Amino acid sequence: MLSTPRGRAALFLITITFIAFISLGLPDGLLDIANPRIRDTFEIGPDLFSLVFVTGLTGYFLSSFFAGHLVNLLGIGLLLSLSCATTAFALLGYALSPHWAWFVLLGLFGGGGAGAIDTGLNVYVAHNHGPRLMFWLHASFGVGVTLGTWLMSLVVNSGTIWRVGYAIVGVMQVILAVTFLITRKRFNQPHAHSEEPAKAQSRTPIRQTLRLPVAWIGIALFFLYVGVEASAGRWSTSLFIQARGVASVDAGAWVSAYWATFTLGRVAAGFVTKRLRPEDFSRIAIGGMVLASLLLVWNPFPGVGALALSLMGFTCAPVFPVLISLTPKRVGEAHSANTIGFQIASSAIGGSVIPGLIGVLARSSSFEVMPLVLLAVTVLMFALHEIMLRVTAPPQPASESSD
């Protein structure tokens, strides 16, 4: 199939889609390493530095929420081009920022570009490819974070200012923006596995999609899921060291195992997806998250934290991509672009709210509250998932009007 012109065109689009998702993770890796050096440059403390996370989250939420509507209006290819250009503007702006206020303001553009890229790529793969490609697409995000960390480490360890790292990735984003602009029409051409053109997205109004109960269930699931994913990575070290007396070296290794099994789980899921229905796959994965949380609460013997976190990472891994893949089937083609945008926007909020809630509760008790919250949230996720599988959006004619 790949020897035909249609197959080669599909392979090319898949390739640039993966490159774009890798690029989505690069800025996170840059910031992880550049954080203290940026604070030294602008002479600010951690409290002021957190403002860039606020503006980034705001931009990401807004662009994700409305990205489905923009996909309908502009098409995926043009949206990806504009989003990459916006991200490039932010990254190059970071490299040139003379004042901290400018750096913070640019977070809106960086988050906005990232949210639209994330949604656009997920919509494209959900509509035109199977769950296997979705799993591998999301695994490639981890590749981007790793490469970003390596690149910025290379830059600063060579004695070069951190701004150079942002400039390099900014230029890469410009190249991607031009690539998507040139190939924008190909995203609506037939794919190698289909004799029909890729389905154009109908301009379904946002308010119409928000009337669907199943869309709200999906929004809630993504809020809860990313909250668990982020909390397990962010607070496990504190749980092990401060509440359970684990040596810091061991605690760090256990958290590293969480992210390693998380990446491995997404790669492995792509190989076994044809053996299970997506609905069964997501049910097993969320059930595994419940079991991992229960192990973390029970803590029956020393070292169980490593096992629980590894299980959590491995079972967490397929949930996000498989739920995205199920979205067109659950809400219908006409509503899927809007719903995917809502889900990704909700995930950004959940990734901040639930870890924040754990931090507040731990301040008044102890970090032993973290596994209890994870258990409660994963059980709620399992229940909502079962409800979602029994609720399908009623068929509705596509509307050509727009909000």
Side-chain angles (χ1 to χ4, degrees):
M1 296 292 287
L2 293 179
S3 61
T4 65
R6 184 181 299 173
R8 287 192 295 271
L11 179 61
F12 175 75
L13 292 182
I14 291 170
T15 300
I16 62 172
T17 296
F18 270 75
I19 291 172
F21 223 77
I22 289 171
S23 77
L24 192 62
L26 285 171
D28 287 354
L30 296 179
L31 192 61
D32 286 348
I33 302 300
N35 180 334
R37 294 164 180 86
I38 293 171
R39 286 191 278 116
D40 288 343
T41 298
F42 294 110
E43 299 180 344
I44 59 169
D47 51 345
L48 283 178
F49 189 82
S50 65
L51 291 175
V52 76
F53 297 121
V54 174
T55 55
L57 175 62
T58 301
Y60 188 95
F61 173 80
L62 291 174
S63 68
S64 299
F65 189 87
F66 292 104
H69 180 67
L70 292 175
V71 166
N72 298 335
L73 187 65
L74 303 175
I76 292 173
L78 184 55
L79 175 63
L80 290 173
S81 177
L82 293 174
S83 301
C84 287
T86 302
T87 305
F89 173 77
L91 292 168
L92 295 173
Y94 291 150
L96 299 171
S97 291
H99 304 292
W100 175 241
W102 285 106
F103 200 101
V104 172
L105 181 62
L106 286 165
L108 287 170
F109 294 91
I117 293 170
D118 199 353
T119 303
L121 292 174
N122 276 290
V123 169
Y124 172 69
V125 174
H127 277 269
N128 298 291
H129 302 281
R132 172 180 292 188
L133 198 69
M134 185 69 79
F135 288 130
W136 290 341
L137 179 73
H138 283 265
S140 68
F141 178 84
V143 175
V145 176
T146 302
L147 288 176
T149 302
W150 172 81
L151 173 62
M152 187 59 81
S153 296
L154 187 65
V155 168
V156 298
N157 290 336
S158 67
T160 307
I161 191 169
W162 58 266
R163 296 178 187 271
V164 173
Y166 279 102
I168 292 171
V169 178
V171 171
M172 293 169 60
Q173 288 287 338
V174 170
I175 295 171
L176 266 177
V178 173
T179 302
F180 280 122
L181 182 63
I182 294 172
T183 61
R184 65 190 184 280
K185 293 183 180 179
R186 294 193 186 185
F187 283 88
N188 292 323
Q189 291 178 352
H191 291 271
H193 63 282
S194 173
E195 295 299 321
E196 299 296 329
K199 294 179 181 178
Q201 301 299 304
S202 58
R203 298 183 182 180
T204 304
I206 287 174
R207 63 178 178 272
Q208 194 175 97
T209 301
L210 288 173
R211 295 193 187 109
L212 302 178
V214 70
W216 282 102
I217 296 172
I219 290 168
L221 269 173
F222 276 79
F223 177 92
L224 297 172
Y225 163 75
V226 176
V228 171
E229 177 194 310
S231 298
R234 190 174 299 173
W235 290 121
S236 290
T237 303
S238 300
L239 168 70
F240 296 141
I241 295 174
Q242 295 179 233
R244 297 185 177 177
V246 176
S248 59
V249 173
D250 292 336
W254 295 357
V255 175
S256 295
Y258 169 72
W259 291 114
T261 55
F262 183 85
T263 303
L264 176 64
R266 285 191 169 169
V267 174
F271 291 103
V272 300
T273 183
K274 286 190 175 181
R275 304 188 181 197
L276 286 171
R277 294 189 313 139
E279 294 87 349
D280 295 330
F281 207 146
S282 54
R283 177 183 286 124
I284 291 170
I286 296 172
M289 292 172 65
V290 174
L291 178 59
S293 301
L294 187 60
L295 269 177
L296 207 55
V297 171
W298 184 22
N299 193 34
F301 56 85
V304 74
L307 174 63
L309 269 191
S310 296
L311 179 61
M312 179 66 82
F314 194 77
T315 54
C316 259
V319 174
F320 194 109
V322 78
L323 289 180
I324 290 285
S325 296
L326 279 169
T327 298
K329 181 178 179 180
R330 299 262 65 87
V331 302
E333 297 286 346
H335 296 283
S336 61
N338 284 340
T339 305
I340 289 172
F342 301 157
Q343 289 171 165
I344 292 175
S346 175
S347 72
I349 302 300
S352 297
V353 170
I354 293 179
L357 173 64
I358 290 173
V360 171
L361 293 175
R363 187 182 305 163
S364 59
S365 55
S366 79
F367 277 105
E368 287 292 351
V369 75
M370 187 271 273
L372 291 171
V373 171
L374 295 192
L375 179 59
V377 172
T378 53
V379 169
L380 180 57
M381 278 182 62
F382 192 88
L384 284 175
H385 179 262
E386 292 303 305
I387 294 171
M388 185 187 74
L389 294 184
R390 290 161 174 76
V391 179
T392 303
Q396 296 183 23
S399 171
E400 293 302 322
S401 62
S402 61
D403 278 359

